[in-house]
PDB file of all heavy atoms in Angstrom:
ATOM      1  N   SER A   1     -15.798 -11.319 -55.345  1.00 97.00           N
ATOM      2  CA  SER A   1     -14.391 -11.646 -55.611  1.00 97.00           C
ATOM      3  C   SER A   1     -13.983 -12.882 -54.817  1.00 97.00           C
ATOM      4  O   SER A   1     -14.628 -13.276 -53.851  1.00 97.00           O
ATOM      5  CB  SER A   1     -13.497 -10.473 -55.215  1.00 97.00           C
ATOM      6  OG  SER A   1     -13.520 -10.300 -53.802  1.00 97.00           O
ATOM      7  N   GLU A   2     -12.852 -13.463 -55.226  1.00 97.00           N
ATOM      8  CA  GLU A   2     -12.332 -14.613 -54.484  1.00 97.00           C
ATOM      9  C   GLU A   2     -11.979 -14.222 -53.051  1.00 97.00           C
ATOM     10  O   GLU A   2     -12.205 -14.988 -52.115  1.00 97.00           O
ATOM     11  CB  GLU A   2     -11.086 -15.165 -55.201  1.00 97.00           C
ATOM     12  CG  GLU A   2     -11.376 -15.845 -56.524  1.00 97.00           C
ATOM     13  CD  GLU A   2     -12.273 -17.061 -56.365  1.00 97.00           C
ATOM     14  OE1 GLU A   2     -12.197 -17.737 -55.313  1.00 97.00           O
ATOM     15  OE2 GLU A   2     -13.069 -17.337 -57.288  1.00 97.00           O
ATOM     16  N   GLU A   3     -11.454 -13.027 -52.889  1.00 97.00           N
ATOM     17  CA  GLU A   3     -11.089 -12.569 -51.549  1.00 97.00           C
ATOM     18  C   GLU A   3     -12.321 -12.427 -50.654  1.00 97.00           C
ATOM     19  O   GLU A   3     -12.320 -12.840 -49.489  1.00 97.00           O
ATOM     20  CB  GLU A   3     -10.356 -11.230 -51.636  1.00 97.00           C
ATOM     21  CG  GLU A   3      -9.932 -10.686 -50.278  1.00 97.00           C
ATOM     22  CD  GLU A   3      -9.247  -9.327 -50.390  1.00 97.00           C
ATOM     23  OE1 GLU A   3      -9.079  -8.836 -51.530  1.00 97.00           O
ATOM     24  OE2 GLU A   3      -8.897  -8.774 -49.339  1.00 97.00           O
ATOM     25  N   GLU A   4     -13.402 -11.837 -51.199  1.00 96.00           N
ATOM     26  CA  GLU A   4     -14.627 -11.676 -50.418  1.00 96.00           C
ATOM     27  C   GLU A   4     -15.236 -13.029 -50.072  1.00 96.00           C
ATOM     28  O   GLU A   4     -15.705 -13.249 -48.953  1.00 96.00           O
ATOM     29  CB  GLU A   4     -15.642 -10.824 -51.180  1.00 96.00           C
ATOM     30  CG  GLU A   4     -16.909 -10.536 -50.392  1.00 96.00           C
ATOM     31  CD  GLU A   4     -17.877  -9.635 -51.133  1.00 96.00           C
ATOM     32  OE1 GLU A   4     -17.592  -9.272 -52.303  1.00 96.00           O
ATOM     33  OE2 GLU A   4     -18.909  -9.284 -50.547  1.00 96.00           O
ATOM     34  N   ASP A   5     -15.214 -13.951 -51.035  1.00 98.00           N
ATOM     35  CA  ASP A   5     -15.760 -15.284 -50.795  1.00 98.00           C
ATOM     36  C   ASP A   5     -14.998 -15.984 -49.669  1.00 98.00           C
ATOM     37  O   ASP A   5     -15.602 -16.584 -48.774  1.00 98.00           O
ATOM     38  CB  ASP A   5     -15.691 -16.106 -52.088  1.00 98.00           C
ATOM     39  CG  ASP A   5     -16.360 -17.458 -51.949  1.00 98.00           C
ATOM     40  OD1 ASP A   5     -17.576 -17.499 -51.707  1.00 98.00           O
ATOM     41  OD2 ASP A   5     -15.643 -18.474 -52.074  1.00 98.00           O
ATOM     42  N   ARG A   6     -13.682 -15.911 -49.714  1.00 98.00           N
ATOM     43  CA  ARG A   6     -12.873 -16.546 -48.653  1.00 98.00           C
ATOM     44  C   ARG A   6     -13.147 -15.906 -47.296  1.00 98.00           C
ATOM     45  O   ARG A   6     -13.244 -16.608 -46.276  1.00 98.00           O
ATOM     46  CB  ARG A   6     -11.379 -16.428 -49.001  1.00 98.00           C
ATOM     47  CG  ARG A   6     -10.910 -17.391 -50.072  1.00 98.00           C
ATOM     48  CD  ARG A   6      -9.379 -17.440 -50.124  1.00 98.00           C
ATOM     49  NE  ARG A   6      -8.802 -16.142 -50.447  1.00 98.00           N
ATOM     50  CZ  ARG A   6      -8.564 -15.732 -51.692  1.00 98.00           C
ATOM     51  NH1 ARG A   6      -8.841 -16.522 -52.715  1.00 98.00           N
ATOM     52  NH2 ARG A   6      -8.031 -14.534 -51.913  1.00 98.00           N
ATOM     53  N   LYS A   7     -13.268 -14.605 -47.286  1.00 97.00           N
ATOM     54  CA  LYS A   7     -13.488 -13.899 -46.027  1.00 97.00           C
ATOM     55  C   LYS A   7     -14.829 -14.288 -45.397  1.00 97.00           C
ATOM     56  O   LYS A   7     -14.903 -14.545 -44.183  1.00 97.00           O
ATOM     57  CB  LYS A   7     -13.437 -12.388 -46.275  1.00 97.00           C
ATOM     58  CG  LYS A   7     -13.566 -11.563 -45.015  1.00 97.00           C
ATOM     59  CD  LYS A   7     -13.433 -10.079 -45.339  1.00 97.00           C
ATOM     60  CE  LYS A   7     -13.605  -9.228 -44.074  1.00 97.00           C
ATOM     61  NZ  LYS A   7     -13.482  -7.778 -44.372  1.00 97.00           N
ATOM     62  N   VAL A   8     -15.873 -14.315 -46.209  1.00 97.00           N
ATOM     63  CA  VAL A   8     -17.190 -14.689 -45.681  1.00 97.00           C
ATOM     64  C   VAL A   8     -17.173 -16.122 -45.169  1.00 97.00           C
ATOM     65  O   VAL A   8     -17.643 -16.419 -44.058  1.00 97.00           O
ATOM     66  CB  VAL A   8     -18.279 -14.516 -46.756  1.00 97.00           C
ATOM     67  CG1 VAL A   8     -19.597 -15.133 -46.278  1.00 97.00           C
ATOM     68  CG2 VAL A   8     -18.484 -13.050 -47.091  1.00 97.00           C
ATOM     69  N   LYS A   9     -16.616 -17.030 -45.954  1.00 98.00           N
ATOM     70  CA  LYS A   9     -16.651 -18.444 -45.576  1.00 98.00           C
ATOM     71  C   LYS A   9     -15.780 -18.736 -44.351  1.00 98.00           C
ATOM     72  O   LYS A   9     -16.072 -19.666 -43.592  1.00 98.00           O
ATOM     73  CB  LYS A   9     -16.235 -19.302 -46.763  1.00 98.00           C
ATOM     74  CG  LYS A   9     -17.304 -19.328 -47.854  1.00 98.00           C
ATOM     75  CD  LYS A   9     -16.883 -20.115 -49.082  1.00 98.00           C
ATOM     76  CE  LYS A   9     -18.021 -20.162 -50.100  1.00 98.00           C
ATOM     77  NZ  LYS A   9     -17.631 -20.869 -51.345  1.00 98.00           N
ATOM     78  N   ALA A  10     -14.753 -17.953 -44.143  1.00 98.00           N
ATOM     79  CA  ALA A  10     -13.910 -18.143 -42.956  1.00 98.00           C
ATOM     80  C   ALA A  10     -14.636 -17.734 -41.677  1.00 98.00           C
ATOM     81  O   ALA A  10     -14.283 -18.189 -40.587  1.00 98.00           O
ATOM     82  CB  ALA A  10     -12.621 -17.348 -43.102  1.00 98.00           C
ATOM     83  N   ASN A  11     -15.640 -16.879 -41.830  1.00 97.00           N
ATOM     84  CA  ASN A  11     -16.364 -16.372 -40.659  1.00 97.00           C
ATOM     85  C   ASN A  11     -17.874 -16.610 -40.770  1.00 97.00           C
ATOM     86  O   ASN A  11     -18.672 -15.880 -40.175  1.00 97.00           O
ATOM     87  CB  ASN A  11     -16.099 -14.872 -40.499  1.00 97.00           C
ATOM     88  CG  ASN A  11     -14.636 -14.571 -40.246  1.00 97.00           C
ATOM     89  OD1 ASN A  11     -14.149 -14.731 -39.129  1.00 97.00           O
ATOM     90  ND2 ASN A  11     -13.940 -14.138 -41.291  1.00 97.00           N
ATOM     91  N   TYR A  12     -18.244 -17.653 -41.516  1.00 97.00           N
ATOM     92  CA  TYR A  12     -19.662 -17.867 -41.806  1.00 97.00           C
ATOM     93  C   TYR A  12     -20.473 -18.120 -40.537  1.00 97.00           C
ATOM     94  O   TYR A  12     -21.590 -17.607 -40.364  1.00 97.00           O
ATOM     95  CB  TYR A  12     -19.839 -19.052 -42.766  1.00 97.00           C
ATOM     96  CG  TYR A  12     -20.840 -18.791 -43.870  1.00 97.00           C
ATOM     97  CD1 TYR A  12     -20.622 -19.274 -45.161  1.00 97.00           C
ATOM     98  CD2 TYR A  12     -21.999 -18.059 -43.648  1.00 97.00           C
ATOM     99  CE1 TYR A  12     -21.530 -19.046 -46.195  1.00 97.00           C
ATOM    100  CE2 TYR A  12     -22.915 -17.824 -44.666  1.00 97.00           C
ATOM    101  CZ  TYR A  12     -22.671 -18.324 -45.935  1.00 97.00           C
ATOM    102  OH  TYR A  12     -23.562 -18.092 -46.940  1.00 97.00           O
ATOM    103  N   ALA A  13     -19.923 -18.906 -39.612  1.00 96.00           N
ATOM    104  CA  ALA A  13     -20.661 -19.231 -38.391  1.00 96.00           C
ATOM    105  C   ALA A  13     -20.993 -17.970 -37.598  1.00 96.00           C
ATOM    106  O   ALA A  13     -22.112 -17.798 -37.097  1.00 96.00           O
ATOM    107  CB  ALA A  13     -19.873 -20.211 -37.535  1.00 96.00           C
ATOM    108  N   ALA A  14     -20.041 -17.059 -37.506  1.00 95.00           N
ATOM    109  CA  ALA A  14     -20.269 -15.805 -36.791  1.00 95.00           C
ATOM    110  C   ALA A  14     -21.305 -14.950 -37.524  1.00 95.00           C
ATOM    111  O   ALA A  14     -22.148 -14.299 -36.890  1.00 95.00           O
ATOM    112  CB  ALA A  14     -18.960 -15.040 -36.643  1.00 95.00           C
ATOM    113  N   ARG A  15     -21.233 -14.964 -38.850  1.00 95.00           N
ATOM    114  CA  ARG A  15     -22.215 -14.199 -39.637  1.00 95.00           C
ATOM    115  C   ARG A  15     -23.621 -14.741 -39.398  1.00 95.00           C
ATOM    116  O   ARG A  15     -24.572 -13.970 -39.253  1.00 95.00           O
ATOM    117  CB  ARG A  15     -21.851 -14.288 -41.120  1.00 95.00           C
ATOM    118  CG  ARG A  15     -22.742 -13.450 -42.027  1.00 95.00           C
ATOM    119  CD  ARG A  15     -22.322 -13.570 -43.474  1.00 95.00           C
ATOM    120  NE  ARG A  15     -23.148 -12.774 -44.353  1.00 95.00           N
ATOM    121  CZ  ARG A  15     -22.710 -11.818 -45.156  1.00 95.00           C
ATOM    122  NH1 ARG A  15     -21.419 -11.526 -45.182  1.00 95.00           N
ATOM    123  NH2 ARG A  15     -23.543 -11.154 -45.939  1.00 95.00           N
ATOM    124  N   ARG A  16     -23.767 -16.049 -39.356  1.00 96.00           N
ATOM    125  CA  ARG A  16     -25.076 -16.653 -39.101  1.00 96.00           C
ATOM    126  C   ARG A  16     -25.583 -16.306 -37.702  1.00 96.00           C
ATOM    127  O   ARG A  16     -26.765 -16.011 -37.506  1.00 96.00           O
ATOM    128  CB  ARG A  16     -25.002 -18.169 -39.265  1.00 96.00           C
ATOM    129  CG  ARG A  16     -24.647 -18.655 -40.657  1.00 96.00           C
ATOM    130  CD  ARG A  16     -25.686 -18.280 -41.696  1.00 96.00           C
ATOM    131  NE  ARG A  16     -25.531 -19.085 -42.897  1.00 96.00           N
ATOM    132  CZ  ARG A  16     -26.228 -18.928 -44.022  1.00 96.00           C
ATOM    133  NH1 ARG A  16     -27.117 -17.959 -44.103  1.00 96.00           N
ATOM    134  NH2 ARG A  16     -26.022 -19.710 -45.058  1.00 96.00           N
ATOM    135  N   ARG A  17     -24.694 -16.338 -36.716  1.00 94.00           N
ATOM    136  CA  ARG A  17     -25.108 -15.983 -35.355  1.00 94.00           C
ATOM    137  C   ARG A  17     -25.571 -14.532 -35.306  1.00 94.00           C
ATOM    138  O   ARG A  17     -26.560 -14.205 -34.640  1.00 94.00           O
ATOM    139  CB  ARG A  17     -23.950 -16.207 -34.375  1.00 94.00           C
ATOM    140  CG  ARG A  17     -23.678 -17.672 -34.063  1.00 94.00           C
ATOM    141  CD  ARG A  17     -22.750 -17.833 -32.864  1.00 94.00           C
ATOM    142  NE  ARG A  17     -21.436 -17.230 -33.088  1.00 94.00           N
ATOM    143  CZ  ARG A  17     -20.409 -17.876 -33.629  1.00 94.00           C
ATOM    144  NH1 ARG A  17     -20.538 -19.151 -34.001  1.00 94.00           N
ATOM    145  NH2 ARG A  17     -19.245 -17.264 -33.786  1.00 94.00           N
ATOM    146  N   GLN A  18     -24.863 -13.678 -36.017  1.00 93.00           N
ATOM    147  CA  GLN A  18     -25.258 -12.279 -36.063  1.00 93.00           C
ATOM    148  C   GLN A  18     -26.633 -12.121 -36.694  1.00 93.00           C
ATOM    149  O   GLN A  18     -27.471 -11.350 -36.222  1.00 93.00           O
ATOM    150  CB  GLN A  18     -24.226 -11.474 -36.854  1.00 93.00           C
ATOM    151  CG  GLN A  18     -24.593 -10.004 -37.037  1.00 93.00           C
ATOM    152  CD  GLN A  18     -24.747  -9.279 -35.723  1.00 93.00           C
ATOM    153  OE1 GLN A  18     -23.890  -9.373 -34.858  1.00 93.00           O
ATOM    154  NE2 GLN A  18     -25.850  -8.569 -35.561  1.00 93.00           N
ATOM    155  N   ALA A  19     -26.888 -12.854 -37.763  1.00 94.00           N
ATOM    156  CA  ALA A  19     -28.185 -12.771 -38.434  1.00 94.00           C
ATOM    157  C   ALA A  19     -29.311 -13.233 -37.508  1.00 94.00           C
ATOM    158  O   ALA A  19     -30.378 -12.609 -37.447  1.00 94.00           O
ATOM    159  CB  ALA A  19     -28.161 -13.609 -39.705  1.00 94.00           C
ATOM    160  N   LEU A  20     -29.087 -14.319 -36.787  1.00 94.00           N
ATOM    161  CA  LEU A  20     -30.100 -14.836 -35.866  1.00 94.00           C
ATOM    162  C   LEU A  20     -30.354 -13.885 -34.706  1.00 94.00           C
ATOM    163  O   LEU A  20     -31.422 -13.917 -34.092  1.00 94.00           O
ATOM    164  CB  LEU A  20     -29.672 -16.205 -35.334  1.00 94.00           C
ATOM    165  CG  LEU A  20     -29.778 -17.373 -36.313  1.00 94.00           C
ATOM    166  CD1 LEU A  20     -29.023 -18.583 -35.782  1.00 94.00           C
ATOM    167  CD2 LEU A  20     -31.247 -17.729 -36.557  1.00 94.00           C
ATOM    168  N   ASP A  21     -29.387 -13.033 -34.419  1.00 92.00           N
ATOM    169  CA  ASP A  21     -29.501 -12.120 -33.286  1.00 92.00           C
ATOM    170  C   ASP A  21     -29.831 -10.702 -33.730  1.00 92.00           C
ATOM    171  O   ASP A  21     -29.653  -9.747 -32.977  1.00 92.00           O
ATOM    172  CB  ASP A  21     -28.187 -12.126 -32.491  1.00 92.00           C
ATOM    173  CG  ASP A  21     -28.403 -11.746 -31.034  1.00 92.00           C
ATOM    174  OD1 ASP A  21     -29.457 -12.090 -30.481  1.00 92.00           O
ATOM    175  OD2 ASP A  21     -27.507 -11.106 -30.452  1.00 92.00           O
ATOM    176  N   SER A  22     -30.323 -10.579 -34.962  1.00 90.00           N
ATOM    177  CA  SER A  22     -30.602  -9.261 -35.523  1.00 90.00           C
ATOM    178  C   SER A  22     -32.105  -9.051 -35.676  1.00 90.00           C
ATOM    179  O   SER A  22     -32.886  -9.995 -35.591  1.00 90.00           O
ATOM    180  CB  SER A  22     -29.928  -9.130 -36.895  1.00 90.00           C
ATOM    181  OG  SER A  22     -30.621  -9.907 -37.854  1.00 90.00           O
ATOM    182  N   PRO A  23     -32.548  -7.823 -35.938  1.00 90.00           N
ATOM    183  CA  PRO A  23     -33.980  -7.586 -36.143  1.00 90.00           C
ATOM    184  C   PRO A  23     -34.542  -8.236 -37.407  1.00 90.00           C
ATOM    185  O   PRO A  23     -35.673  -8.714 -37.413  1.00 90.00           O
ATOM    186  CB  PRO A  23     -34.070  -6.053 -36.228  1.00 90.00           C
ATOM    187  CG  PRO A  23     -32.827  -5.544 -35.607  1.00 90.00           C
ATOM    188  CD  PRO A  23     -31.775  -6.568 -35.898  1.00 90.00           C
ATOM    189  N   SER A  24     -33.748  -8.258 -38.476  1.00 92.00           N
ATOM    190  CA  SER A  24     -34.284  -8.679 -39.777  1.00 92.00           C
ATOM    191  C   SER A  24     -33.648  -9.940 -40.343  1.00 92.00           C
ATOM    192  O   SER A  24     -33.983 -10.348 -41.454  1.00 92.00           O
ATOM    193  CB  SER A  24     -34.130  -7.538 -40.794  1.00 92.00           C
ATOM    194  OG  SER A  24     -34.873  -6.410 -40.384  1.00 92.00           O
ATOM    195  N   GLY A  25     -32.713 -10.545 -39.619  1.00 93.00           N
ATOM    196  CA  GLY A  25     -32.105 -11.772 -40.113  1.00 93.00           C
ATOM    197  C   GLY A  25     -31.026 -11.537 -41.149  1.00 93.00           C
ATOM    198  O   GLY A  25     -30.793 -12.400 -42.004  1.00 93.00           O
ATOM    199  N   LEU A  26     -30.365 -10.386 -41.078  1.00 88.00           N
ATOM    200  CA  LEU A  26     -29.296 -10.060 -42.023  1.00 88.00           C
ATOM    201  C   LEU A  26     -27.950 -10.168 -41.318  1.00 88.00           C
ATOM    202  O   LEU A  26     -27.832  -9.919 -40.120  1.00 88.00           O
ATOM    203  CB  LEU A  26     -29.495  -8.659 -42.590  1.00 88.00           C
ATOM    204  CG  LEU A  26     -30.848  -8.421 -43.280  1.00 88.00           C
ATOM    205  CD1 LEU A  26     -30.964  -6.978 -43.741  1.00 88.00           C
ATOM    206  CD2 LEU A  26     -31.039  -9.376 -44.446  1.00 88.00           C
ATOM    207  N   GLY A  27     -26.916 -10.489 -42.094  1.00 82.00           N
ATOM    208  CA  GLY A  27     -25.625 -10.820 -41.511  1.00 82.00           C
ATOM    209  C   GLY A  27     -24.706  -9.649 -41.278  1.00 82.00           C
ATOM    210  O   GLY A  27     -23.515  -9.718 -41.594  1.00 82.00           O
ATOM    211  N   PHE A  28     -25.229  -8.541 -40.765  1.00 80.00           N
ATOM    212  CA  PHE A  28     -24.374  -7.423 -40.381  1.00 80.00           C
ATOM    213  C   PHE A  28     -24.929  -6.822 -39.095  1.00 80.00           C
ATOM    214  O   PHE A  28     -26.079  -7.059 -38.723  1.00 80.00           O
ATOM    215  CB  PHE A  28     -24.287  -6.368 -41.490  1.00 80.00           C
ATOM    216  CG  PHE A  28     -25.591  -5.671 -41.788  1.00 80.00           C
ATOM    217  CD1 PHE A  28     -25.962  -4.514 -41.100  1.00 80.00           C
ATOM    218  CD2 PHE A  28     -26.451  -6.168 -42.759  1.00 80.00           C
ATOM    219  CE1 PHE A  28     -27.161  -3.883 -41.373  1.00 80.00           C
ATOM    220  CE2 PHE A  28     -27.658  -5.528 -43.035  1.00 80.00           C
ATOM    221  CZ  PHE A  28     -28.006  -4.387 -42.332  1.00 80.00           C
ATOM    222  N   VAL A  29     -24.119  -6.040 -38.425  1.00 80.00           N
ATOM    223  CA  VAL A  29     -24.527  -5.432 -37.156  1.00 80.00           C
ATOM    224  C   VAL A  29     -25.314  -4.154 -37.450  1.00 80.00           C
ATOM    225  O   VAL A  29     -24.768  -3.196 -38.014  1.00 80.00           O
ATOM    226  CB  VAL A  29     -23.306  -5.103 -36.280  1.00 80.00           C
ATOM    227  CG1 VAL A  29     -23.754  -4.459 -34.966  1.00 80.00           C
ATOM    228  CG2 VAL A  29     -22.493  -6.365 -36.009  1.00 80.00           C
ATOM    229  N   PRO A  30     -26.607  -4.092 -37.077  1.00 82.00           N
ATOM    230  CA  PRO A  30     -27.381  -2.880 -37.327  1.00 82.00           C
ATOM    231  C   PRO A  30     -26.876  -1.716 -36.476  1.00 82.00           C
ATOM    232  O   PRO A  30     -26.279  -1.905 -35.411  1.00 82.00           O
ATOM    233  CB  PRO A  30     -28.804  -3.280 -36.903  1.00 82.00           C
ATOM    234  CG  PRO A  30     -28.806  -4.771 -36.842  1.00 82.00           C
ATOM    235  CD  PRO A  30     -27.413  -5.166 -36.481  1.00 82.00           C
ATOM    236  N   ASN A  31     -27.118  -0.532 -36.956  1.00 87.00           N
ATOM    237  CA  ASN A  31     -26.746   0.679 -36.228  1.00 87.00           C
ATOM    238  C   ASN A  31     -27.680   0.839 -35.022  1.00 87.00           C
ATOM    239  O   ASN A  31     -28.899   0.881 -35.172  1.00 87.00           O
ATOM    240  CB  ASN A  31     -26.859   1.894 -37.157  1.00 87.00           C
ATOM    241  CG  ASN A  31     -26.283   3.156 -36.554  1.00 87.00           C
ATOM    242  OD1 ASN A  31     -26.105   3.264 -35.354  1.00 87.00           O
ATOM    243  ND2 ASN A  31     -25.973   4.117 -37.414  1.00 87.00           N
ATOM    244  N   GLY A  32     -27.112   0.954 -33.843  1.00 90.00           N
ATOM    245  CA  GLY A  32     -27.916   1.039 -32.631  1.00 90.00           C
ATOM    246  C   GLY A  32     -28.248   2.444 -32.187  1.00 90.00           C
ATOM    247  O   GLY A  32     -28.785   2.635 -31.091  1.00 90.00           O
ATOM    248  N   THR A  33     -27.973   3.441 -33.018  1.00 94.00           N
ATOM    249  CA  THR A  33     -28.256   4.816 -32.635  1.00 94.00           C
ATOM    250  C   THR A  33     -29.468   5.350 -33.388  1.00 94.00           C
ATOM    251  O   THR A  33     -29.923   4.781 -34.379  1.00 94.00           O
ATOM    252  CB  THR A  33     -27.042   5.722 -32.914  1.00 94.00           C
ATOM    253  OG1 THR A  33     -26.753   5.689 -34.326  1.00 94.00           O
ATOM    254  CG2 THR A  33     -25.824   5.248 -32.148  1.00 94.00           C
ATOM    255  N   SER A  34     -29.979   6.474 -32.906  1.00 96.00           N
ATOM    256  CA  SER A  34     -31.133   7.129 -33.525  1.00 96.00           C
ATOM    257  C   SER A  34     -30.697   8.085 -34.622  1.00 96.00           C
ATOM    258  O   SER A  34     -29.633   8.719 -34.533  1.00 96.00           O
ATOM    259  CB  SER A  34     -31.921   7.892 -32.457  1.00 96.00           C
ATOM    260  OG  SER A  34     -32.862   8.771 -33.045  1.00 96.00           O
ATOM    261  N   VAL A  35     -31.531   8.199 -35.628  1.00 97.00           N
ATOM    262  CA  VAL A  35     -31.300   9.205 -36.666  1.00 97.00           C
ATOM    263  C   VAL A  35     -31.179  10.587 -36.031  1.00 97.00           C
ATOM    264  O   VAL A  35     -30.326  11.401 -36.414  1.00 97.00           O
ATOM    265  CB  VAL A  35     -32.464   9.203 -37.683  1.00 97.00           C
ATOM    266  CG1 VAL A  35     -32.286  10.313 -38.712  1.00 97.00           C
ATOM    267  CG2 VAL A  35     -32.591   7.862 -38.371  1.00 97.00           C
ATOM    268  N   LEU A  36     -32.009  10.858 -35.043  1.00 97.00           N
ATOM    269  CA  LEU A  36     -32.098  12.186 -34.458  1.00 97.00           C
ATOM    270  C   LEU A  36     -30.886  12.543 -33.605  1.00 97.00           C
ATOM    271  O   LEU A  36     -30.634  13.729 -33.334  1.00 97.00           O
ATOM    272  CB  LEU A  36     -33.375  12.300 -33.616  1.00 97.00           C
ATOM    273  CG  LEU A  36     -34.690  12.012 -34.365  1.00 97.00           C
ATOM    274  CD1 LEU A  36     -35.865  12.082 -33.417  1.00 97.00           C
ATOM    275  CD2 LEU A  36     -34.878  12.985 -35.521  1.00 97.00           C
ATOM    276  N   ASP A  37     -30.146  11.520 -33.177  1.00 95.00           N
ATOM    277  CA  ASP A  37     -28.968  11.772 -32.345  1.00 95.00           C
ATOM    278  C   ASP A  37     -27.701  12.045 -33.166  1.00 95.00           C
ATOM    279  O   ASP A  37     -26.670  12.428 -32.600  1.00 95.00           O
ATOM    280  CB  ASP A  37     -28.709  10.581 -31.408  1.00 95.00           C
ATOM    281  CG  ASP A  37     -29.776  10.455 -30.335  1.00 95.00           C
ATOM    282  OD1 ASP A  37     -30.460  11.466 -30.061  1.00 95.00           O
ATOM    283  OD2 ASP A  37     -29.956   9.351 -29.798  1.00 95.00           O
ATOM    284  N   ALA A  38     -27.766  11.816 -34.463  1.00 95.00           N
ATOM    285  CA  ALA A  38     -26.585  11.960 -35.311  1.00 95.00           C
ATOM    286  C   ALA A  38     -26.467  13.391 -35.844  1.00 95.00           C
ATOM    287  O   ALA A  38     -27.474  14.016 -36.212  1.00 95.00           O
ATOM    288  CB  ALA A  38     -26.655  10.980 -36.472  1.00 95.00           C
ATOM    289  N   ALA A  39     -25.256  13.893 -35.885  1.00 95.00           N
ATOM    290  CA  ALA A  39     -25.010  15.198 -36.511  1.00 95.00           C
ATOM    291  C   ALA A  39     -25.273  15.077 -38.012  1.00 95.00           C
ATOM    292  O   ALA A  39     -25.110  13.997 -38.597  1.00 95.00           O
ATOM    293  CB  ALA A  39     -23.566  15.621 -36.259  1.00 95.00           C
ATOM    294  N   PRO A  40     -25.710  16.147 -38.661  1.00 95.00           N
ATOM    295  CA  PRO A  40     -26.059  16.077 -40.085  1.00 95.00           C
ATOM    296  C   PRO A  40     -24.973  15.465 -40.971  1.00 95.00           C
ATOM    297  O   PRO A  40     -25.268  14.628 -41.830  1.00 95.00           O
ATOM    298  CB  PRO A  40     -26.338  17.536 -40.449  1.00 95.00           C
ATOM    299  CG  PRO A  40     -26.811  18.139 -39.166  1.00 95.00           C
ATOM    300  CD  PRO A  40     -26.016  17.472 -38.087  1.00 95.00           C
ATOM    301  N   ASP A  41     -23.729  15.869 -40.794  1.00 95.00           N
ATOM    302  CA  ASP A  41     -22.654  15.319 -41.626  1.00 95.00           C
ATOM    303  C   ASP A  41     -22.465  13.829 -41.384  1.00 95.00           C
ATOM    304  O   ASP A  41     -22.277  13.056 -42.328  1.00 95.00           O
ATOM    305  CB  ASP A  41     -21.347  16.061 -41.343  1.00 95.00           C
ATOM    306  CG  ASP A  41     -21.345  17.474 -41.890  1.00 95.00           C
ATOM    307  OD1 ASP A  41     -22.272  17.801 -42.661  1.00 95.00           O
ATOM    308  OD2 ASP A  41     -20.439  18.251 -41.545  1.00 95.00           O
ATOM    309  N   GLU A  42     -22.503  13.436 -40.113  1.00 96.00           N
ATOM    310  CA  GLU A  42     -22.357  12.017 -39.775  1.00 96.00           C
ATOM    311  C   GLU A  42     -23.518  11.204 -40.339  1.00 96.00           C
ATOM    312  O   GLU A  42     -23.332  10.115 -40.882  1.00 96.00           O
ATOM    313  CB  GLU A  42     -22.305  11.856 -38.256  1.00 96.00           C
ATOM    314  CG  GLU A  42     -22.275  10.403 -37.785  1.00 96.00           C
ATOM    315  CD  GLU A  42     -22.613  10.258 -36.317  1.00 96.00           C
ATOM    316  OE1 GLU A  42     -22.591  11.272 -35.596  1.00 96.00           O
ATOM    317  OE2 GLU A  42     -22.914   9.129 -35.895  1.00 96.00           O
ATOM    318  N   ARG A  43     -24.715  11.773 -40.233  1.00 96.00           N
ATOM    319  CA  ARG A  43     -25.908  11.091 -40.736  1.00 96.00           C
ATOM    320  C   ARG A  43     -25.813  10.863 -42.236  1.00 96.00           C
ATOM    321  O   ARG A  43     -26.113   9.775 -42.741  1.00 96.00           O
ATOM    322  CB  ARG A  43     -27.140  11.929 -40.393  1.00 96.00           C
ATOM    323  CG  ARG A  43     -28.452  11.246 -40.676  1.00 96.00           C
ATOM    324  CD  ARG A  43     -29.569  11.998 -39.992  1.00 96.00           C
ATOM    325  NE  ARG A  43     -29.645  13.393 -40.394  1.00 96.00           N
ATOM    326  CZ  ARG A  43     -29.896  14.410 -39.565  1.00 96.00           C
ATOM    327  NH1 ARG A  43     -30.063  14.180 -38.277  1.00 96.00           N
ATOM    328  NH2 ARG A  43     -29.971  15.648 -40.026  1.00 96.00           N
ATOM    329  N   THR A  44     -25.387  11.880 -42.955  1.00 96.00           N
ATOM    330  CA  THR A  44     -25.241  11.737 -44.407  1.00 96.00           C
ATOM    331  C   THR A  44     -24.229  10.658 -44.751  1.00 96.00           C
ATOM    332  O   THR A  44     -24.448   9.852 -45.669  1.00 96.00           O
ATOM    333  CB  THR A  44     -24.812  13.082 -45.018  1.00 96.00           C
ATOM    334  OG1 THR A  44     -25.818  14.061 -44.759  1.00 96.00           O
ATOM    335  CG2 THR A  44     -24.612  12.949 -46.520  1.00 96.00           C
TER     336      THR A  44
END
């Protein structure tokens, strides 16, 4: 959407920094917790 496009482009530099600082080079913050530490409902 136009709204999503504007939002990404307004914060593109931060998204790129996040990708460079991630395990796989993707522009979101990975979950830092273990599967085993999550309650079943939360995990789902």
Side-chain angles (χ1 to χ4, degrees):
S1 67
E2 290 298 328
E3 180 182 358
E4 184 177 3
D5 185 63
R6 284 193 299 270
K7 184 177 178 180
V8 170
K9 289 177 177 177
N11 298 281
Y12 224 142
R15 184 179 180 122
R16 297 297 197 185
R17 286 193 299 271
Q18 176 60 49
L20 286 166
D21 206 34
S22 73
S24 298
L26 303 177
F28 65 89
V29 180
N31 189 341
T33 61
S34 167
V35 176
L36 303 177
D37 291 339
D41 289 349
E42 175 196 345
R43 188 166 57 220
T44 299

